[in-house]
Amino acid sequence: LYLLFLVQVHGQGGVKFQNWAKTYGSSPELYFQPTTVEEIREILDMARQRDKRVKVVGGGHSPSDIACTDDFMIQMGKMNRVLKVDKEKQQVTVEGGIFLSDLNVELSKHGLALANLGAVSEVAAAGVIGTGTHNTGIKHGILPTQVVALTLLTASGEILECSESINTDVFQAARLHLGCLGVVLTVTFQCVPQFHLHEVAFPSTLTEVLDHLDDHLKRSQYFRFLWFPHSENVSVIYQDPTNKPPSSSANWLWDYAVGYYLLEFLLWISTFVPSLVCWINRFFFWLLFSSRVENIAISYKIFNYECRFKQHVQDWAIPIEKTKEALLELKAALENNPKMVAHYPVEVRFARGDEIWLSPCFQRDSCYVNIIMYRPYGKNVPRLNYWLTYEGIMKKHGGRPHWAKAHSCTRKDFEKMYPAFPKFCSVREKLDPTGIFLNTYLEKVFY
């Protein structure tokens, strides 16, 4: 009977899971790719009987161990259908496993789009909201703010419909669920009419941008900027809706041969001569970012860009009024510690405050400061000093870490950072009393 059970839900042994950046991985005892809700129920039953934990994964893009487990892993890739498009309300209901890259194409067939998207679309709908994916735009919230309803399969096998009006508490928790409340079966997104974006990137300085931050925020709907550490150099990026026809000034030679292959090679050399990093940052700014560049395309093609080679990242959200202070402090820290090197870019983005319990933008407009250390040819570059210095500055200014990225916070920190943290915990404990959806990463958050 037990074998029959196994055959029914097809658990695979010997699968090695790795995240996109290959910085974290695990070897689940059994790996499942269910196609129905019934199969997921069976997997949960089996996990309960055998005292195993369950982790649900989508695209595996998170640069942390939030998706790792040595017990049972459910990969939702086969539950990826568009279930309903409501043209009148401009809403779309999808299965949790659909990749946004597929959803973008489907929506455009119906003349619709998501109002905002992160840099990567090879991510599953349920995962995007699970970690609070964001982009930029002070009038736009993080991606979970576009969710108007969802259905959740809980540890006990019950299906909960959640929205602003039904199971409200579970809804506010599940819009940023960390994968610990249950299995998100369907998500309903609020869409907007399809639109094109005009992207303009131009050079500036850190002083100019920080002194005129309000002007930039008013001038462009999706404004962000890239700062090149060890210098004053900044690339300002404006993205705004347009009616102009698509056009591009992209160039394979520059974007790939130089922006990828040459950069990776030089960063690899800099692992032997760290002082080269300052020079590399300046050289690449001059090479690729010192002139004005414009592109026009359908919105999702402008929002998405390639992350190129593997990297370690941290990304914290601070209150927007702390932007200048925090960045100048980071700049000073790098100037005062010549041994500490920082790869370009430090990406600075903005998001509107919201009411989602575990959102880094909970009840405040925020600035996200994203730092990066590449791993040229998979080689690790020393980053501990930089990482701790950055975390210290972010914490000092009331920062909250992006849930998908690596950070060193524990429950004590989260209790301070999130006024609604106890509410989230009580919903989690009610929905998953035995902790079937926990893993090492989540234990640090809740215990």
Side-chain angles (χ1 to χ4, degrees):
L1 183 75
Y2 170 60
L3 278 175
L4 188 77
F5 194 54
L6 209 61
V7 171
Q8 231 173 324
V9 284
H10 307 301
Q12 237 180 315
V15 172
K16 176 131 178 62
F17 166 76
Q18 270 198 319
N19 69 344
W20 171 83
K22 297 195 169 26
T23 45
Y24 293 92
S26 63
S27 303
E29 187 180 315
L30 286 177
Y31 179 85
F32 299 91
Q33 286 190 298
T35 54
T36 65
V37 176
E38 235 0 272
E39 283 179 34
I40 301 176
R41 274 208 182 100
E42 282 179 27
I43 298 164
L44 295 180
D45 282 344
M46 188 157 95
R48 246 194 315 279
Q49 285 161 19
R50 295 174 53 185
D51 202 21
K52 296 289 178 193
R53 286 174 164 184
V54 177
K55 210 67 241 132
V56 184
V57 298
H61 235 278
S62 294
S64 70
D65 54 347
I66 193 167
C68 296
T69 184
D70 291 330
D71 288 2
F72 290 0
M73 185 173 275
I74 297 177
Q75 205 282 333
M76 292 290 278
K78 291 187 172 161
M79 295 180 74
N80 63 352
R81 291 171 307 159
V82 173
L83 300 173
K84 185 183 174 195
V85 178
D86 185 330
K87 285 231 162 135
E88 213 163 289
K89 287 186 178 166
Q90 300 187 334
Q91 291 174 355
V92 62
T93 303
V94 295
E95 287 185 306
I98 193 170
F99 273 18
L100 292 192
S101 47
D102 297 326
L103 177 57
N104 292 334
V105 175
E106 279 305 305
L107 283 176
S108 79
K109 289 178 192 166
H110 295 278
L112 294 172
L114 290 170
N116 210 348
L117 286 165
V120 180
S121 277
E122 276 59 57
V123 286
V128 163
I129 67 171
T131 54
T133 302
H134 69 96
N135 181 21
T136 193
I138 199 54
K139 291 198 164 67
H140 296 272
I142 61 172
L143 267 59
T145 59
Q146 301 175 66
V147 174
V148 289
L150 53 88
T151 54
L152 191 68
L153 177 68
T154 66
S156 65
E158 183 190 2
I159 292 181
L160 294 181
E161 305 275 337
C162 309
S163 69
E164 291 282 2
S165 51
I166 314 162
N167 290 317
T168 321
D169 274 11
V170 178
F171 182 62
Q172 288 307 8
R175 283 206 285 173
L176 205 160
H177 55 74
L178 301 183
C180 68
L181 303 177
V183 182
V184 175
L185 299 174
T186 72
V187 181
T188 303
F189 289 103
Q190 181 60 52
C191 305
V192 296
Q194 183 179 329
F195 61 107
H196 281 66
L197 281 175
H198 180 191
E199 176 180 74
V200 183
F202 57 91
S204 185
T205 64
L206 190 60
T207 310
E208 187 282 323
V209 172
L210 293 177
D211 285 349
H212 301 103
L213 197 57
D214 283 350
D215 297 344
H216 286 290
L217 286 163
K218 283 187 192 113
R219 212 170 292 160
S220 172
Q221 195 179 140
Y222 303 97
F223 153 67
R224 64 188 161 104
F225 68 91
L226 312 177
W227 169 52
F228 291 65
H230 309 294
S231 78
E232 259 283 306
N233 297 332
V234 160
S235 174
V236 172
I237 298 155
Y238 285 173
Q239 293 169 342
D240 291 284
T242 181
N243 296 321
K244 293 179 190 163
S247 66
S248 171
S249 48
N251 173 319
W252 183 89
L253 179 79
W254 286 107
D255 289 355
Y256 265 81
V258 176
Y260 187 138
Y261 300 113
L262 178 63
L263 178 62
E264 187 164 27
F265 175 67
L266 290 176
L267 287 176
W268 180 75
I269 292 203
S270 79
T271 60
F272 306 101
V273 191
S275 59
L276 282 178
V277 170
C278 308
W279 176 83
I280 292 169
N281 288 2
R282 287 173 186 161
F283 176 60
F284 272 85
F285 177 80
W286 171 76
L287 213 56
L288 298 177
F289 298 90
S290 59
S291 57
R292 187 183 169 94
V293 178
E294 298 191 39
N295 290 307
I296 297 173
I298 193 161
S299 58
Y300 64 85
K301 290 189 176 165
I302 296 281
F303 286 139
N304 289 168
Y305 52 88
E306 264 186 279
C307 291
R308 307 272 161 98
F309 45 96
K310 309 306 182 202
Q311 51 195 242
H312 287 286
V313 288
Q314 277 226 58
D315 191 15
W316 284 53
I318 53 175
I320 196 162
E321 58 277 9
K322 302 283 190 183
T323 306
K324 181 174 180 176
E325 221 178 314
L327 279 166
L328 291 179
E329 233 170 280
L330 187 61
K331 184 172 187 263
L334 289 168
E335 282 163 7
N336 298 332
N337 299 301
K339 282 207 166 77
M340 191 158 67
V341 300
H343 291 166
Y344 86 80
V346 170
E347 186 179 15
V348 184
R349 289 171 286 182
F350 303 89
R352 197 187 66 217
D354 59 53
E355 292 298 324
I356 299 169
W357 292 350
L358 289 191
S359 163
C361 303
F362 180 72
Q363 294 184 342
R364 67 185 198 202
D365 290 351
S366 301
C367 163
Y368 277 92
V369 179
N370 182 88
I371 64 166
I372 196 165
M373 285 301 270
Y374 289 113
R375 302 173 60 231
Y377 310 123
K379 183 177 180 180
N380 274 329
V381 180
R383 65 178 197 283
L384 194 63
N385 263 351
Y386 180 32
W387 247 225
L388 293 174
T389 303
Y390 161 86
E391 271 201 351
I393 294 168
M394 294 293 113
K395 268 189 183 163
K396 176 181 153 186
H397 293 293
R400 297 167 178 157
H402 187 325
W403 290 105
K405 317 271 166 96
H407 56 77
S408 61
C409 300
T410 60
R411 175 164 181 149
K412 269 202 181 95
D413 298 305
F414 295 127
E415 282 172 345
K416 278 194 209 110
M417 293 169 179
Y418 288 100
F421 193 75
K423 281 189 190 170
F424 186 94
C425 292
S426 74
V427 167
R428 187 194 74 76
E429 283 150 24
K430 201 158 58 200
L431 295 182
D432 184 18
T434 60
I436 194 170
F437 294 112
L438 291 179
N439 63 359
T440 317
Y441 172 103
L442 290 168
E443 277 176 350
K444 283 182 215 143
V445 174
F446 295 113
Y447 294 108

